[in-house]
Amino acid sequence: METESEQDWGFAGHTRRDVVVVADRFAQFARGDRVFTLSGLLALLDSGGLAASDGHWIVHFGQGIDATDGDLLEAACDKSEGAVRLADPAAFRQPWAPPVVVHKSRPENVLLAGVHSPLPRHCRAELRIHRDNELVLDHHTGEHVQGIVIVEAMRQICIAQFETAIRPGLPPARYAGVWKRIDLSFEDFLFPLPATVESLIVESDLGRETNLKFRATTSVRQQGRTVATAVIEYSMVVQGRIDTLEHRKADQATRAYLG
């Protein structure tokens, strides 16, 4: 939906140009004249060339843009004499989910923002890829986002669903995810543009609070198309129980190797 200011541009006879800005990490995707890297767009704005044009640019946020980047873009837009505006200035200010919600230690490795569970069995979030995420730091795949990011986003949405929609109703305890099976299908490329991640719990066994079992269907969608789907079977197990089991099996593995 157009804002009032965007409608005014049309009435004034100005042309509108929609572009996307992505982190420099996704430079291979930023080709042509519709997608720009952050550094490229800032340099263009700093040159002052857009302020003299008879058109108006609307800048949309792609992946890898955080609040600091958004502040830089806002300041640059303010100097453009109205030639460039941000499509949704609040978008880059939406925080990533807290690392503890997806069982990560470093905030840049969180792939979700705006986690929302309208029902305990249904969870939805925005895919948000930080430019320094561990999965994109050393990977070359061309213009699309590699599949391992999709797999990790699906893992994180399951954990986030548990921590935000199910965990509050359980007695205090730390839980760890144990993955039993993933039946995954890739249906299209994922590009560094906005996307959503969803999980729907289709079966659960909550009879033992120390070992909760789930089967969920998950999906990643972008611009109305399904990028990937998966059926995931997993358990959320009390951390102390996992530690004991892991220690025992680690000892068994060591003895089997060393004899």
Side-chain angles (χ1 to χ4, degrees), residues 4-46:
E4 182 177 352
S5 61
E6 290 168 7
Q7 292 171 351
D8 290 344
W9 293 351
F11 293 144
H14 293 295
T15 60
R16 167 175 168 166
R17 182 180 181 189
D18 289 85
V19 300
V20 177
V21 60
V22 297
D24 288 15
R25 180 75 61 192
F26 304 110
Q28 287 183 283
F29 181 65
R31 57 179 179 79
D33 60 357
R34 301 298 303 275
V35 183
F36 293 83
T37 62
L38 176 66
S39 61
L41 183 57
L42 288 174
L44 189 59
L45 290 169
D46 187 59

Side-chain angles (χ1 to χ4, degrees), residues 6 12 27 29 35 42 62 72 99 109 128 135 137 151 154 161 178 198 219 236 255:
E6 290 168 7
F29 181 65
V35 183
L42 288 174
L72 292 173
N109 293 330
R128 289 279 298 277
L135 299 177
L137 283 176
V151 176
M154 289 175 166
Q161 182 174 25
V178 178
E198 295 192 50
S219 63
M236 300 303 298
R255 288 194 298 270

Side-chain angles (χ1 to χ4, degrees), residues 219-236:
S219 63
V220 174
R221 294 178 59 80
Q222 188 169 66
Q223 279 79 62
R225 76 186 195 283
T226 300
V227 172
T229 59
V231 177
I232 303 178
E233 296 178 9
Y234 62 100
S235 296
M236 300 303 298

Side-chain angles (χ1 to χ4, degrees), residues 73-91:
L73 284 167
E74 272 195 324
C77 289
D78 289 342
K79 297 178 182 179
S80 73
E81 301 179 9
V84 184
R85 300 189 185 186
L86 302 180
D88 184 1

